[in-house]
Amino acid sequence: MKIIKDRKRNLADCLVITAGLIIVGIITKESVFYYVAASLGLILGLIPQLAYYISFVWQGIGIIMGFIISKIILSIIFYFFLFPFSLLQKLFSKNKAISNKKSESYWIIKPEHQTDFTKLW
C-alpha cells in the first residue's frame, strides 16, 4: 500500500474530509457536522503530524474500497450485460456448437497427401 507522505497532499486529504462533512451538514441540516468540520480543519491545520495519520487512514480506506467496489462493478457488468448477451447469441446463432451434434466421434479423418516444402506458396 503506497501512502503519500507529502505534507500538502495530507492537508488536501484532510480538506476533502472537512468539505465532505460540510456537505453532509448541508444535506442533513444538522449543525453538528459544521462543528466537527471546523474543529477538524483547525486541528489538522495546526498539527501536521495528525494530518499525516488521518491521511494514512483515508488513503487506506480508499484502497480497500477500490478493491471491493471494482469487484462489485465487474460482477454487475458480467451478469447484467455479458451473460444475457451470451445467452441470446447461443439461442439465435446459426452456427451451433459441437455439443449439439449427435455423433459418436468428432475425429475428422483427413486425406493423406504429400506436402511439398519446396513450393510453400
Side-chain angles (χ1 to χ4, degrees):
M1 181 163 68
K2 182 180 177 185
I3 303 297
I4 300 171
K5 297 181 180 180
D6 186 24
R7 183 175 187 273
K8 289 181 182 179
R9 176 61 192 237
N10 295 339
L11 291 175
D13 287 345
C14 295
L15 181 64
V16 167
I17 295 170
T18 305
L21 287 171
I22 292 171
I23 291 172
V24 170
I26 291 171
I27 292 172
T28 60
K29 295 184 172 98
E30 292 287 331
S31 62
V32 174
F33 291 107
Y34 298 126
Y35 294 124
V36 172
S39 61
L40 186 67
L42 184 64
I43 291 171
L44 294 177
L46 296 175
I47 307 170
Q49 188 63 26
L50 187 60
Y52 168 75
Y53 292 120
I54 298 292
S55 179
F56 181 81
V57 171
W58 180 257
Q59 291 177 22
I61 290 171
I63 290 172
I64 292 169
M65 284 180 59
F67 179 77
I68 294 170
I69 297 296
S70 65
K71 305 296 187 266
I72 292 171
I73 290 174
L74 287 173
S75 298
I76 289 171
I77 289 172
F78 178 78
Y79 285 110
F80 288 111
F81 295 107
L82 297 178
F83 183 67
F85 183 74
S86 169
L87 287 178
L88 289 174
Q89 192 269 337
K90 287 180 183 179
L91 286 174
F92 298 112
S93 175
K94 291 181 182 178
N95 191 6
K96 299 297 179 186
I98 289 178
S99 61
N100 292 339
K101 293 181 182 177
K102 305 291 187 222
S103 57
E104 294 178 17
S105 174
Y106 297 110
W107 185 265
I108 298 172
I109 299 174
K110 297 200 178 217
E112 286 188 34
H113 62 278
Q114 292 288 341
T115 305
D116 186 11
F117 290 109
T118 59
K119 299 178 182 177
L120 294 177
W121 312 114

